[in-house]
Amino acid sequence: MNRVEQEIKLSRLVCKNRLIRSAVHSFLGDTQGQMTDAEFAMYETLAANGIGMIITGHCNVSAEGKANEEQIGIFSDRYIPQFERAAKIVQQHGAKFIVQISHAGPRAVGQEDLVDVVARELKKNRQARELTLAEISRIEQDFIAAAKRLQQAGVDGVQLHAAHSYLLSRFLDKTFNQRQDAYGGSVENRFRICAEIITGIKAVCGDDFPVLIKLNNDSKTEDETYAADMVYMLRRCKELGVELAECSGVDFLAKKREERLYYLERIATLRQQVDLPLSLVGGVRSLADMDAVLAAGIDMVSLGRPLVCEPDLLPKLLGGQPESRCLSCNKCFALPHIRPGLRCVLQRKLKKAQD
Ligand SMILES: Cc1cc2nc3c(=O)[nH]c(=O)nc-3n(C[C@H](O)[C@H](O)[C@H](O)COP(=O)(O)O)c2cc1C
Ligand code: SF4
């Protein structure tokens, strides 16, 4: 049996294997924040193909925090039934269904009044203003309310999106956060918004409701100090009862197809320093790659683009396909808008080869 096929018990969740489908915005919601039939079908296909844990694309916790026109929402009770349906689809295949919750910060769409951790000049002559303390508190409440709705929907847990320059990640990283108050400066202060959200979720949902987090393992400009910050943040996550931290990074889009496991060394070092279940995401393309991650003591392994390209990748790899066919071309970030209905440049080609 390959390492990735082995069952794992986290603190609360038992996963049938160690493979996570990392959060991937699907472009399959409607403009009102509702899942379409294509979104439900995507979950069915992923779950039927053996993935142990499926994390949804980022879902906005408030109307103001919406990152994409077709983003799936969780900022009102009207969204509960769709998550109930999706959770059942995934769970009936024995997989865990985790919902990623997020606020886009200055990357929000359709907003005149853009906010960020500190005031900032944006592209196209736009400006974001600094969040007030009252607004930070409001955003924390939005995350907590979203988690409560999702618990009502019967999902297996939530993941805070604190990576990839969305709002929470901007608090964590000194590159963005130059606040002078309780939410800026020391790493304790920069992590405060996440800590308060996690504590708030535990208070309303109970300690047994799994809370996961996705973080960048690195930073564009604060790399040496950020490595030490990561140790603090992961240890704090452990104290707060976080189920698993999924470690991503800031530059995965710049990596070529041949580049693999670019975060492994750093995350393996973190593994030695912290006692919290971890997963690595970025550049995992084969069973050998998965094995290298798990052999380093990292508990689970996450894939994004390879499962857009081939949702049935796990059975294919176990059946002898040497690696994912994903080109790491990143066209899946724009393609659904250019060619509605298509998510990957290889989709038609791969389908034809299968038929
Ligand atoms: C089209 C697309 C949408 C994505 N949407 C999200 C998202 O909603 N939330 C998130 O945390 N990461 C998102 N990601 C990043 C992936 O989860 C993953 O971290 C990244 O693609 C690197 O992993 P990979 O090399 O296995 O693709 C997205 C990636 C792609 C390609
Ligand atoms: S569009 Fe490119 S990067 Fe995206 S899944 Fe397809 S091959 Fe991979």
Side-chain angles (χ1 to χ4, degrees):
M1 187 190 263
N2 284 282
R3 276 201 178 89
V4 71
E5 295 175 271
Q6 290 167 4
E7 185 182 275
I8 182 162
K9 182 169 184 335
L10 304 172
S11 299
R12 302 155 187 81
L13 291 172
V14 179
C15 298
K16 65 178 176 179
N17 63 36
R18 290 164 189 249
L19 181 60
I20 299 179
R21 194 302 287 253
S22 200
V24 170
H25 172 63
S26 62
F27 298 86
L28 297 174
D30 68 14
T31 54
Q32 305 306 308
Q34 300 283 354
M35 295 181 195
T36 60
D37 286 345
E39 175 91 4
F40 294 115
M42 175 191 72
Y43 290 129
E44 173 70 43
T45 308
L46 286 168
N49 280 290
I51 295 159
M53 178 189 289
I54 297 177
I55 306 179
T56 66
H58 55 180
C59 298
N60 49 313
V61 298
S62 63
E64 306 81 54
K66 181 172 172 168
N68 310 85
E69 289 302 342
E70 63 299 279
Q71 187 168 18
I72 286 151
I74 186 56
F75 55 90
S76 150
D77 288 356
R78 69 177 179 275
Y79 297 118
I80 294 175
Q82 61 180 357
F83 286 99
E84 208 172 338
R85 182 172 159 197
K88 284 199 183 114
I89 290 172
V90 169
Q91 289 160 348
Q92 75 189 6
H93 290 280
K96 300 297 176 208
F97 184 64
I98 305 294
V99 179
Q100 189 183 60
I101 51 179
S102 185
H103 188 295
R107 300 172 67 182
V109 291
Q111 299 300 311
E112 278 306 308
D113 181 28
L114 287 170
V115 290
D116 198 349
V117 59
V118 291
R120 191 179 313 278
E121 292 270 344
L122 306 171
K123 287 180 192 152
K124 300 185 186 160
N125 279 340
R126 300 201 69 191
Q127 184 83 27
R129 65 175 176 79
E130 178 169 319
L131 281 165
T132 65
L133 290 176
E135 286 170 327
I136 291 176
S137 174
R138 177 65 223 224
I139 288 171
E140 290 179 359
Q141 292 311 315
D142 289 338
F143 272 93
I144 296 164
K148 185 69 197 166
R149 287 184 197 106
L150 290 163
Q151 184 185 37
Q152 281 171 253
V155 313
D156 294 296
V158 293
Q159 182 187 58
L160 305 191
H161 191 358
H164 308 164
S165 311
Y166 288 98
L167 185 64
L168 295 183
S169 73
R170 302 170 89 86
F171 274 86
L172 303 184
D173 188 341
K174 277 188 266 178
T175 312
F176 300 103
N177 186 349
Q178 294 92 31
R179 289 182 77 96
Q180 304 292 324
D181 58 11
Y183 293 87
S186 65
V187 61
E188 290 88 333
N189 282 356
R190 282 178 278 126
F191 192 69
R192 189 178 307 283
I193 186 167
C194 290
E196 288 177 347
I197 292 170
I198 296 162
T199 310
I201 294 175
K202 297 276 179 186
V204 302
C205 297
D207 187 48
D208 283 345
F209 185 61
V211 179
L212 293 76
I213 190 165
K214 185 170 183 177
L215 310 138
N216 294 328
N217 82 90
D218 57 2
S219 151
K220 268 195 185 122
T221 57
E222 296 285 347
D223 230 27
E224 281 159 34
T225 54
Y226 193 79
D229 291 350
M230 268 303 272
V231 175
Y232 168 86
M233 292 190 280
L234 294 177
R235 288 187 180 153
R236 188 82 182 100
C237 283
K238 172 81 184 174
E239 283 167 12
L240 293 167
V242 167
E243 191 73 6
L244 174 131
E246 194 182 32
C247 299
S248 181
V250 292
D251 60 350
F252 68 90
L253 291 176
K255 304 289 182 190
K256 300 201 170 57
R257 186 184 188 195
E258 317 74 72
E259 292 177 272
R260 303 283 174 88
L261 301 177
Y262 21 87
Y263 305 132
L264 179 57
E265 205 180 317
R266 289 174 65 103
I267 298 169
T269 305
L270 286 170
R271 162 74 305 155
Q272 305 301 316
Q273 296 167 285
V274 302
D275 174 27
L276 170 80
L278 299 179
S279 181
L280 173 151
V281 59
V284 178
R285 298 294 181 266
S286 64
L287 282 181
D289 291 343
M290 294 177 196
D291 208 54
V293 172
L294 299 170
I298 296 164
D299 305 83
M300 297 186 78
V301 56
S302 304
L303 273 71
R305 290 162 292 183
L307 293 168
V308 174
C309 185
E310 297 167 280
D312 53 351
L313 182 63
L314 181 62
K316 282 178 173 171
L317 295 180
L318 294 173
Q321 181 176 308
E323 60 180 20
S324 157
R325 295 197 164 90
C326 176
L327 306 169
S328 299
C329 65
N330 298 324
K331 293 198 172 138
C332 39
F333 280 97
L335 189 67
H337 285 155
I338 303 163
R339 295 273 187 91
L342 268 196
R343 296 183 63 214
C344 169
V345 286
L346 299 179
Q347 207 167 311
R348 283 185 183 148
K349 209 169 149 192
L350 290 173
K351 180 135 194 354
K352 258 193 201 153
Q354 242 165 25
D355 291 344

